Amino acid sequence: MGTRPVGTVTRGTTAPNRLRRVDRWLLGTQRALLWNALAGALAVDLGYGAYPVTTVEWAERLWTVRADLRVLGLEIDPARVAAAEPYQCPPKLEFRLGGFELPVPTPPVLLRAFNVLRQYDESAVAEVWSGLRGRLAPEGLLLEGTCSESGRIAVWAALGQEGPRTLSFAARLASLESPAIFAQRLPKALIHRNVPGEPVHAFLRDWDRAWAACAPLGAFGARQRWIGAARMLRTDWPVLDREPRWRLGELTVAWEALAPRS
């Protein structure tokens, strides 16, 4: 008898292109990781939802860089695994029953876990992160985050075996009213830390002020306003990317600057 999957069944909400922004960031900033991965390296999509569209899309995007990558979707709900079977093309794309225990054949070089921790208590996050990081390949990367139902607003942490490295924000700029909207989509490790005295609160406050100060740039488009606000943020915060990523509606910050105080 197999081991029971570890975790709780999620709502399963998903939609085509919902994770496009995190996938674009991954392919744009982590190509060296993909290029240097061993032949047949494994990428795992943990908790893909009611149907596997985002896992299939992820596989197709990853294969544009490394056609030999194996992609494995894991779900805790047997009915969701059964529904994904028609989309399999072993060994390149498979779906299995599994949760945080990661029943995988080899340590993954990529592990994506989106919208799976929102229903958990904040106190559970550290243990989950530690367990998932410990299952990564030595050079592996864990992407854990949250996005809106449409995927137009997304926030994710990037973690290596040693711990969290960065926090990235992405938005569809044409419909963005204010960076304050990101507070609703912070990863579980930070969403309850958006209070005075915590770094993430100060960061979002400063970003909102920069966004307001750059309102005149909005006459040239939302992209120019976003870029202007990012430049202002860089004077006080460790913003790691530059204009080519900003133009896409992205912004990445060093994790240590936003980490909870306690």
Side-chain angles (χ1 to χ4, degrees):
M1 182 178 294
T3 302
R4 182 178 179 179
V6 176
T8 303
V9 177
T10 65
R11 290 170 54 204
T13 305
T14 190
N17 272 327
R18 190 182 185 193
L19 301 185
R20 178 176 64 88
R21 298 184 193 282
V22 64
D23 292 351
R24 181 175 62 186
W25 178 89
L26 174 65
L27 295 180
T29 67
Q30 305 298 317
R31 282 184 174 256
L33 170 64
L34 295 173
W35 287 334
N36 294 331
L38 297 175
L42 180 67
V44 175
D45 196 18
L46 177 61
Y48 53 81
Y51 65 109
V53 59
T54 53
T55 306
V56 174
E57 290 173 340
W58 195 41
E60 292 172 346
R61 290 163 184 159
L62 290 172
W63 291 337
T64 65
V65 179
R66 281 292 299 266
D68 64 323
L69 279 178
R70 292 177 298 150
V71 178
L72 174 63
L74 292 179
E75 251 297 340
I76 200 170
D77 182 350
R80 295 175 184 176
V81 178
E85 287 183 2
Y87 298 89
Q88 293 197 123
C89 51
K92 291 192 65 175
L93 177 61
E94 297 181 87
F95 298 91
R96 295 183 185 176
L97 189 68
F100 294 137
E101 79 286 1
L102 284 192
V104 296
T106 187
V109 69
L110 288 175
L111 173 55
R112 188 178 70 174
F114 247 71
N115 303 305
V116 297
L117 285 178
R118 286 185 66 81
Q119 65 194 34
Y120 290 82
D121 292 334
E122 181 186 359
S123 59
V125 173
E127 181 178 354
V128 171
W129 274 11
S130 178
L132 295 179
R133 289 190 292 107
R135 300 299 305 278
L136 289 172
E139 71 283 8
L141 189 70
L142 163 63
L143 300 177
E144 192 275 305
T146 303
C147 67
S148 61
E149 285 73 12
S150 65
R152 292 181 176 182
I153 299 292
V155 187
W156 62 89
L159 305 90
Q161 280 193 343
E162 77 286 355
R165 298 173 180 173
T166 61
L167 189 70
S168 295
F169 303 81
R172 181 179 183 270
L173 297 182
S175 58
L176 180 69
E177 294 184 2
S178 163
I181 193 68
F182 289 118
Q184 303 173 14
R185 299 297 169 182
L186 290 171
K188 195 69 176 188
L190 292 175
I191 196 166
H192 298 301
R193 302 304 184 114
N194 186 28
V195 294
E198 288 285 350
V200 70
H201 180 271
F203 174 76
L204 290 176
R205 177 203 64 205
D206 289 354
W207 196 357
D208 213 38
R209 290 174 178 173
W211 180 255
C214 291
L217 293 174
F220 303 100
R223 179 179 295 169
Q224 293 306 314
R225 187 177 182 182
W226 176 274
I227 292 171
R231 286 174 176 156
M232 290 185 67
L233 276 178
R234 279 184 58 195
T235 63
D236 296 307
W237 294 93
V239 175
L240 301 179
D241 46 15
R242 295 296 184 266
E243 187 167 333
R245 304 309 306 177
W246 300 340
R247 292 181 64 83
L248 300 174
E250 298 174 8
L251 188 120
T252 296
V253 185
W255 173 266
E256 62 265 23
L258 306 180
R261 291 194 182 277
S262 60

